[in-house]
Amino acid sequence: MPELPEVEVVRRGLAEHVVGRVVDNVTVKHPRSVRRHAFGAEDLAGRLTGLRVESAQRRGKFLWLTFDEPDTALVVHLGMSGQMLVQPADAPLEKHAHIIATLDSGAELRFVDQRTFGGWQVSDLVEVDGTLVPEPVAHIARDPMDPLFDPDRVVQKLRGKQSEIKRLLLDQTVVSGIGNIYADEALWRAELHGERVSAKLTKPALQSLLTETQAVMGEALHAGGTSFDALYVNVNGQSGYFERSLNAYGREDEPCRRCGALMRREKFMNRSSFSCPRCQPRPRG
């Protein structure tokens, strides 16, 4: 699934091409893409038509647009394959374009979703920790790229958890935006095995881990995100390329770029974890 850097790349594209534009009309071509909107496709289209887009925002992996209608947001669930493409109106329609919003610029904002796990949902905005976020996002913690992210507060929370550190990195209520790829990359950089118990780690070790998490996601964002297939693209349809710089994820039986030991792959939460057996020893017992 797309992680924070990929979603931020999309958010920046929407901020450049969609913010300031008025939604002239919305066409929903697949009902599954609006299944999270309780009142259905017609209501979603009616609520968006005529509104001017004021901002494109994100928290963790969650993306939304705000409008000149107070307290109204369009939450975009990218799911596993969702794309937000800005296309000329005369461009051929993508096979899996399930929602099309025509803008007053003449361009179209198309939601393309091959696997149909994503969708659009109009939601009210609520205040959480002094910030307005859509109701479906209210339970999500701030992410490491958020200007108001408080690493000391997160370290304190992590030190009180009797759980594996990688499991907590993936818990969006503890710290958001981190997925499997960047968790493995940050753990490799911090020289920690993902099965280490969070409460047993020192404060400096946890601070280092969060610093490395910020660093790896910042580098991935600069590169345009991590792309393993053609589904992960920005609003112009271009794929990211940070996969060339990965030090841990997907490198089973390849030499560790720090010590030369062969990287290992282990099962973790129905996923795969990649680590160095020498730099990241498993916890004892």
Side-chain angles (χ1 to χ4, degrees):
M1 294 181 67
E3 299 187 25
L4 183 155
E6 291 77 56
V7 179
E8 174 62 13
V9 168
V10 175
R11 187 204 67 79
R12 291 183 180 186
L14 293 173
E16 179 178 355
H17 296 286
V18 176
V19 169
R21 309 267 46 121
V22 174
V23 179
D24 282 345
N25 62 74
V26 177
T27 302
V28 177
K29 301 177 71 66
H30 198 307
R32 183 168 168 79
S33 293
V34 294
R35 66 190 181 282
R36 293 179 179 87
H37 186 75
F39 301 102
E42 186 175 343
D43 180 79
L44 180 140
R47 291 188 63 179
L48 294 178
T49 298
L51 299 186
R52 183 181 302 277
V53 182
E54 289 200 333
S55 69
Q57 301 188 30
R58 178 195 55 76
R59 174 168 290 192
K61 307 174 190 179
F62 287 78
L63 175 70
W64 67 92
L65 299 176
T66 65
F67 302 90
D68 53 358
E69 179 74 25
D71 300 329
T72 297
L74 171 64
V75 182
V76 179
H77 303 267
L78 293 175
M80 294 183 68
S81 61
Q83 302 171 0
M84 294 281 279
L85 301 180
V86 178
Q87 300 279 43
D90 59 357
L93 194 65
E94 296 79 7
K95 180 179 179 181
H96 301 286
H98 299 321
I99 307 176
I100 299 99
T102 302
L103 307 177
D104 63 348
S105 63
E108 293 180 346
L109 175 60
R110 301 176 181 177
F111 181 69
V112 181
D113 189 12
Q114 177 178 322
R115 297 170 185 161
T116 65
F117 290 130
W120 287 10
Q121 173 186 11
V122 177
S123 168
D124 293 335
L125 291 168
V126 296
E127 185 175 334
V128 179
D129 293 335
T131 303
L132 287 175
V133 299
E135 285 184 338
V137 186
H139 66 291
I140 300 298
R142 294 188 186 276
D143 62 69
M145 308 301 288
D146 190 319
L148 297 180
F149 180 73
D150 186 347
D152 292 334
R153 182 177 179 182
V154 176
V155 166
Q156 183 179 8
K157 185 178 292 188
L158 290 173
R159 296 203 72 192
K161 298 284 187 179
Q162 295 289 339
S163 185
E164 298 128 316
I165 185 60
K166 181 173 179 179
R167 188 182 297 270
L168 294 173
L169 288 178
L170 299 177
D171 185 343
Q172 303 299 297
T173 66
V174 176
V175 54
S176 68
I178 306 172
N180 199 41
I181 296 174
Y182 297 114
D184 278 359
E185 292 300 303
L187 288 164
W188 182 86
R189 291 181 180 218
E191 301 186 45
L192 293 173
H193 192 279
E195 292 182 9
R196 295 281 298 274
V197 175
S198 184
K200 295 182 179 180
L201 294 173
T202 66
K203 183 177 179 180
L206 291 170
Q207 289 173 329
S208 173
L209 177 59
L210 291 179
T211 297
E212 297 298 350
T213 300
Q214 291 173 315
V216 71
M217 290 200 292
E219 292 168 19
L221 178 58
H222 180 73
T226 299
S227 177
F228 288 103
D229 65 42
L231 296 177
Y232 299 159
V233 297
N234 63 20
V235 296
N236 296 315
Q238 299 169 326
S239 296
Y241 53 88
F242 187 66
E243 75 277 6
R244 302 174 189 172
S245 303
L246 295 176
N247 291 304
Y249 189 86
R251 300 193 67 245
E252 180 182 13
D253 294 332
E254 296 181 31
C256 172
R257 292 192 172 121
R258 183 166 46 221
C259 75
L262 295 183
M263 300 290 289
R264 65 189 165 195
R265 175 181 180 178
E266 300 170 292
K267 292 182 179 179
F268 185 80
M269 294 174 60
N270 297 319
R271 298 177 172 93
S272 292
S273 286
F274 298 87
S275 62
C276 173
R278 185 180 299 163
C279 298
Q280 301 167 266
R282 292 174 57 87
R284 295 179 180 179

